Amino acid sequence: MIEAAAGSGVARRAVFIAGPHYRRPSYGSNHPLAIPRVSLTFDLIEAYEALTPEEYIRSRPASVAELTRFHTRDYVNALKRTEAFGRVRAADRARHEIGTLENPYFPGIYYTPALATGGSLQAADAVLSGSHAFSPAGGMHHAVPDAARGFCYFNDVVLAIMRLRDAGLRVLYLDIDAHHGDGVEQAFWDDVGVFTLSLHMDTAYAYPFKGGRLQDQGGPKALGCALNVPLPRETSDREYREVFDHVWQPVAERFRPDAVVLQTGTDALFGDPLGRFRLSTAGFLSIVEQVMAVGVPVLATGGGGYHPLLLARAWAGVWGLLSGRTLPVALPEAASRALRAVGWDEDEDEPYYEDLFRDRLEYGEERPVRPVIRELVAMLSGHAALKRRLWAS
Ligand SMILES: [Zn+2]
């Protein structure tokens, strides 16, 4: 068991897990993840001189034995085979959903997700020794045992949580990716030792187009150990905060986790091409800050996020918080250069575009909270999951 730090004032060691592999295009060209993500985050952190050699861990690939703790041997073999032959067999496409529009083929279709998974397992080991850890290549929360889902091939989050569970830890999983963390929720649906909390775009209008509803609260043995907060389009900082404040404190206090696993997909940020929320980077990071205030080790993973500049700025901020550094808001010259070098121009006509290269933060606009959010908060107040005594037992 981990000795809980007395409050958030206690400095914990933190480790950042990545590797040179992420320098090359990891997901081919026909893929929304074919943008610099981990490498650009690393460049920003380096520009801030915010990573010591002691804090850096080079990622290793997960072994087949590790992967098959959650995934089927058939599925693992299918990905291996696909990588070796450089093509997807029709039978594998049909059964394992690889080589589809949703989960396209790319060179390294086995190795790259295995490496991301290894990184998240290393992060779990670091958490077991009492550290915070960041595995930015991880966070592939949609993958299921026998198939790929929503750009996710191996579910590193599930495997990392399993490692923490094996050591007897109670794990609170918070998913702030814009999409429902369905694969993780499903894996621990009936485990009273894992609480899954996901705030996401309502599946009535967003992927995965099912589940993630307020009434989905866990399986028969663990009823009340899942909490889903579906949110409307255009959710702002203030609205997100209103809802988050309503659920986070009671969940953290009653569930009493030994560790928090935090999926930090950045597609909830305002300019994300696939997300429909309007969070600012400052608003996003204030959530991470509050998670750290629980005082237990935090295992942060990456996740979605399809705007490379917003993503790297946000994840550099996540690392700053985990490692206990106060990073200046103004980006160092080398960081601006790295962001410019991406050549991202999809939103170059937007008024905020130039600011992305100047500061690492921007702040949300102050709009009034909409009635739809007030209604949601009222429903959360009467929510069974928030009232269950089960988690405290
Ligand atoms: Zn997402």
Side-chain angles (χ1 to χ4, degrees):
M1 278 295 151
I2 285 168
E3 194 68 25
S8 55
V10 179
R12 279 183 197 279
R13 187 177 125 85
V15 294
F16 184 88
I17 299 139
H21 179 75
Y22 300 105
R23 286 269 156 223
R24 20 170 258 133
S26 333
Y27 287 92
S29 53
N30 177 31
H31 197 288
L33 294 176
I35 49 170
R37 302 169 95 249
V38 176
S39 60
L40 191 59
T41 303
F42 189 84
D43 290 344
L44 261 52
I45 290 169
E46 286 256 276
Y48 272 113
E49 297 179 9
L51 188 67
T52 63
E54 296 72 40
E55 291 171 312
Y56 176 74
I57 294 179
R58 184 173 168 156
S59 176
R60 58 150 182 97
S63 67
V64 169
E66 286 171 329
L67 293 168
T68 52
R69 276 291 317 272
F70 178 62
H71 292 287
T72 64
R73 163 107 20 201
D74 283 353
Y75 176 50
V76 172
N77 286 343
L79 282 176
K80 270 197 151 170
R81 179 163 68 225
T82 303
E83 178 171 281
F85 294 134
R87 54 179 289 275
V88 185
R89 299 197 322 186
D92 290 339
R93 181 176 296 116
R95 174 173 162 189
H96 304 296
E97 298 170 51
I98 48 181
T100 60
L101 206 58
E102 183 176 317
N103 313 302
Y105 166 79
F106 62 95
I109 196 167
Y110 172 79
Y111 181 76
T112 300
L115 190 64
T117 303
S120 293
L121 291 172
Q122 288 167 296
D125 289 338
V127 159
L128 288 174
S129 71
S131 300
H132 297 309
F134 190 19
S135 169
M140 301 300 142
H141 59 169
H142 296 307
V144 295
D146 197 47
R149 290 281 159 79
F151 317 142
C152 301
Y153 299 83
F154 291 136
N155 201 318
D156 61 288
V157 184
V158 168
L159 287 160
I161 294 175
M162 285 171 104
R163 182 155 293 191
L164 301 178
R165 292 292 293 136
D166 288 347
L169 269 60
R170 291 165 65 78
V171 179
L172 170 51
Y173 174 64
L174 171 64
D175 190 316
I176 58 172
D177 188 283
H179 300 96
H180 177 222
D182 54 353
V184 182
E185 178 184 271
Q186 209 177 317
F188 301 105
W189 187 241
D190 226 3
D191 182 350
V192 286
V194 180
F195 193 101
T196 59
L197 170 57
S198 177
L199 286 76
H200 46 259
M201 298 190 284
D202 197 319
T203 57
Y205 70 88
Y207 185 87
F209 302 107
K210 59 177 182 345
R213 303 164 310 164
L214 214 51
Q215 59 264 44
D216 300 328
Q217 301 175 8
K221 287 204 296 278
L223 198 59
C225 286
L227 180 53
N228 287 294
V229 186
L231 293 162
R233 290 184 180 87
E234 302 287 304
T235 292
S236 68
D237 276 354
R238 206 166 141 190
E239 292 175 334
Y240 198 92
R241 166 60 63 187
E242 181 102 357
V243 170
F244 184 77
D245 283 349
H246 211 78
V247 294
W248 178 251
Q249 209 60 27
V251 167
E253 271 170 20
R254 294 192 209 179
F255 185 70
R256 288 187 286 110
D258 299 307
V260 174
V261 174
L262 171 65
Q263 201 268 22
T264 68
T266 63
D267 41 10
L269 293 173
F270 65 98
D272 190 90
L274 299 188
R276 294 292 170 263
F277 289 168
R278 302 196 47 77
L279 295 199
S280 71
T281 305
F284 179 86
L285 291 174
S286 74
I287 301 292
V288 178
E289 216 170 346
Q290 204 165 329
V291 167
M292 297 194 61
V294 174
V296 298
V298 175
L299 190 171
T301 68
Y306 308 96
H307 189 305
L309 316 182
L310 286 170
L311 174 143
R313 289 157 82 252
W315 285 356
V318 169
W319 173 245
L321 289 170
L322 287 173
S323 66
R325 290 178 171 88
T326 310
L327 304 179
V329 173
L331 287 164
E333 181 57 37
S336 303
R337 263 203 313 275
L339 292 173
R340 294 252 183 231
V342 176
W344 175 266
D345 59 3
E346 279 196 22
D347 47 0
E348 65 179 341
D349 296 330
E350 298 291 341
Y352 59 76
Y353 182 77
E354 277 306 314
D355 296 343
L356 299 180
F357 304 97
R358 200 184 58 225
D359 292 335
R360 69 179 178 87
L361 295 179
E362 76 298 315
Y363 307 87
E365 75 257 282
E366 282 298 309
R367 287 190 314 180
V369 172
R370 292 170 293 173
V372 58
I373 299 292
R374 299 246 174 264
E375 281 162 32
L376 183 60
V377 166
M379 277 194 283
L380 284 166
S381 304
H383 194 276
L386 290 175
K387 294 180 172 159
R388 295 256 168 217
R389 296 185 50 79
L390 183 63
W391 341 319
S393 62

